[in-house]
Amino acid sequence: DIQLTQSPSFLSASVGDRVTITCRASQGISNYLAWYQQKPGKAPKLLIYGASTLQSGVPSRFSGSGSGTEFTLTISSLQPEDFATYYCQRLNSYPLTFGGGTKVEIK
Amino acid sequence: EVQLVESGGGLVQPGGSLRLSCAASGFTLSDHYMDWVRQAPGKGLEWVGRARNKFNSYTTEYAASVKGRFIISRDDSERSLYLQMNSLKTEDTAVYYCGRAAGTTWDTSMDDFWGQGTHVTVSS
């Protein structure tokens, strides 16, 4: 199975910071990648699909890029409501694996 | 408004069985693939499996960790998705979420709506 490795697994940042999270696939997955945000005790929320397409209603400070084996999620200016855990998921074949997650905490 | 509401979670002994349900509303269930995703306490998300729609013969896919023990089914007339969990192990303890796949192609395979989850604890 194709594995997804997220880095870092944890990051501490301040409001207004630019934050970048990386997701690496063990084999090429074209652009079949989604990003989700999850807050404690809540269900995940879709942010980005097709590696770079913003889901309707998601603020434009979120952006995604990449293709093949390396992908990034960028938050251009971190807001208080963005402190959460972020997951990537590959969508090119079964099983639809998630990355291990990146927890973004307040510095 | 799209809504997914899971139910059926609880405490079960190792080796036991449990059936989870996911009630769907606000959209045409028969148009969509549906997923189960779980999250063990303090851990990340794990995709459990998928049920395709009627057009795709309701076929299913499973993660290796549950294949042969879990069965996903759906009843579009009842607007419901199910997860029959057999031969449960302590490592199946998790919050179980149902999710709606946005479409039926690989590029629309992401879950755009999720339920609030139901807790399953496997313990003696």
Side-chain angles (χ1 to χ4, degrees):
Chain A
D1 293 346
I2 299 173
Q3 305 301 316
L4 295 181
T5 303
Q6 283 185 239
S7 61
S9 53
F10 173 88
L11 74 86
S12 182
S14 300
V15 172
D17 284 354
R18 181 181 181 88
V19 167
T20 299
I21 298 168
T22 298
C23 178
R24 289 188 173 88
S26 58
Q27 298 175 41
I29 59 171
S30 185
N31 68 335
Y32 296 117
L33 190 97
W35 289 96
Y36 299 88
Q37 176 193 68
Q38 187 182 33
K39 296 182 180 179
K42 300 295 186 181
K45 173 187 174 183
L46 177 65
L47 297 177
I48 286 170
Y49 60 94
S52 61
T53 303
L54 203 62
Q55 171 70 348
S56 176
V58 173
S60 59
R61 63 181 179 272
F62 290 91
S63 64
S65 65
S67 184
T69 61
E70 187 151 337
F71 302 86
T72 59
L73 171 70
T74 299
I75 309 171
S76 60
S77 178
L78 201 63
Q79 298 302 300
E81 60 268 30
D82 300 336
F83 292 94
T85 301
Y86 295 85
Y87 295 92
C88 57
Q89 183 192 27
R90 67 176 190 85
L91 302 166
N92 66 308
S93 65
Y94 297 106
L96 304 181
T97 319
F98 288 93
T102 296
K103 187 173 185 179
V104 178
E105 290 201 342
I106 301 173
K107 183 182 285 184
Chain B
E1 180 194 4
V2 172
Q3 281 199 323
L4 298 169
V5 179
E6 301 93 338
S7 61
L11 174 63
V12 60
Q13 292 188 335
S17 297
L18 204 59
R19 189 196 198 203
L20 307 184
S21 300
C22 172
S25 61
F27 67 101
T28 303
L29 181 60
S30 57
D31 288 343
H32 291 266
Y33 292 3
M34 297 294 294
D35 293 330
W36 287 100
V37 174
R38 69 183 180 183
Q39 187 168 37
K43 302 297 185 183
L45 301 173
E46 180 186 14
W47 180 81
V48 172
R50 166 167 286 181
R52 295 184 180 87
N53 59 5
K54 180 179 181 181
F55 184 80
N56 290 280
S57 305
Y58 297 126
T59 52
T60 52
E61 302 284 347
Y62 297 96
S65 58
V66 306
K67 196 169 185 179
R69 300 188 298 124
F70 289 12
I71 300 170
I72 299 174
S73 61
R74 54 192 288 168
D75 186 336
D76 291 350
S77 65
E78 293 292 323
R79 306 175 72 84
S80 291
L81 175 75
Y82 304 101
L83 179 64
Q84 176 67 44
M85 303 186 294
N86 301 320
S87 303
L88 281 161
K89 306 175 182 179
T90 56
E91 52 263 41
D92 296 318
T93 294
V95 175
Y96 285 74
Y97 297 99
C98 67
R100 184 190 86 162
T104 60
T105 57
W106 287 119
D107 61 346
T108 60
S109 210
M110 62 285 178
D111 286 340
D112 61 351
F113 286 93
W114 297 66
Q116 83 291 348
T118 187
H119 291 253
V120 172
T121 301
V122 184
S123 174
S124 54

